[in-house]
Amino acid sequence: HGHPGLGKSDIVKEVANQFKLKLIDFRATQMDPTDVNGFGTIIKEGDNAFARYVPFDVFPLEDTPVPKGYTGWLLFFDELNSASKAVEAALYKVLLDRKIGQKNLHPKTAMVAAGNLATSGAIVNRQGTATQSRMVHLTLSADPIGWIEWASKNNIDFRVISYVSNFPDKLHDFDPKHSDKTFSSPRT
């Protein structure tokens, strides 16, 4: 959790790269419960017919081979606390039981979620206690010293680095009630 622009999504990408995990970025705000549970289909076997949920191929299931060059996957539910209640409920099974529909996630799949704070003025829904209890919660804040170290290694213009060095409180100058078109943050 953290205010907009702190780099929550970038941190997840960095972790995936560091541990050679294939990142699957699922924007929870764009999901439908069917994306999680699978698509219902009718299976006919002789004179019998039954329904089965078929999971989407984006998820690494227990029989999915680990892609070459990777050690596994990092399943990232970005903007989770902005998702609809129906999607949040559909994710219970994934977060607790590590299942997509009736299929198990691959054992080499790690999961993480991110979202803005309720005080950010962003679109945030109160998470239910069932979701809250399935996670470890971390609240992020801007770290000018860490950002300067990162910026120095990532070809950020020296003038920007110098400015943040001299005015560290300007790295993340966020007020949810601001009237400007944007605000200073590690992202901007």
Side-chain angles (χ1 to χ4, degrees):
H1 304 276
H3 287 302
L6 283 174
K8 299 178 294 290
S9 300
D10 279 344
I11 290 170
V12 172
K13 291 173 188 170
E14 288 289 328
V15 168
N17 286 336
Q18 183 177 350
F19 290 95
K20 294 184 175 28
L21 298 170
K22 183 170 177 65
L23 182 65
I24 301 171
D25 186 341
F26 241 64
R27 301 294 162 137
T29 53
Q30 299 171 1
M31 292 173 66
D32 181 82
T34 305
D35 297 334
V36 180
N37 295 323
F39 194 76
T41 188
I42 303 296
I43 308 293
K44 288 187 177 188
E45 291 182 358
D47 292 338
N48 298 320
F50 55 93
R52 177 179 291 153
Y53 283 103
V54 178
F56 289 92
D57 64 358
V58 69
F59 293 105
L61 302 177
E62 59 192 338
D63 57 350
T64 306
V66 175
K68 187 175 182 176
Y70 292 97
T71 60
W73 296 265
L74 182 54
L75 186 52
F76 178 31
F77 298 108
D78 202 1
E79 307 299 349
L80 178 61
N81 59 354
S82 297
S84 71
K85 289 297 177 190
V87 169
E88 182 180 343
L91 287 169
Y92 292 168
K93 195 172 199 173
V94 180
L95 298 172
L96 185 62
D97 301 326
R98 300 181 52 81
K99 286 184 169 279
I100 301 295
Q102 297 303 312
K103 304 280 187 173
N104 293 321
L105 278 176
H106 195 286
K108 292 187 176 186
T109 303
M111 291 183 282
V112 66
N116 293 312
L117 296 171
T119 57
S120 297
I123 300 169
V124 173
N125 301 318
R126 182 166 168 26
Q127 286 185 308
T129 54
T131 301
Q132 293 171 358
S133 67
R134 286 168 164 82
M135 301 180 169
V136 173
H137 298 266
L138 305 171
T139 301
L140 302 180
S141 59
D143 173 17
I145 294 170
W147 185 88
I148 291 166
E149 183 181 314
W150 170 87
S152 299
K153 295 176 184 173
N154 286 277
N155 300 318
I156 302 299
D157 190 296
F158 72 93
R159 292 169 287 203
V160 175
I161 296 171
S162 178
Y163 182 81
V164 172
S165 295
N166 287 299
F167 304 100
D169 59 318
K170 296 295 183 189
L171 175 62
H172 196 251
D173 190 11
F174 178 72
D175 176 1
K177 295 179 180 162
H178 70 89
S179 59
D180 298 328
K181 298 284 185 209
T182 191
F183 53 92
S184 64
S185 71
R187 175 172 61 204
T188 57

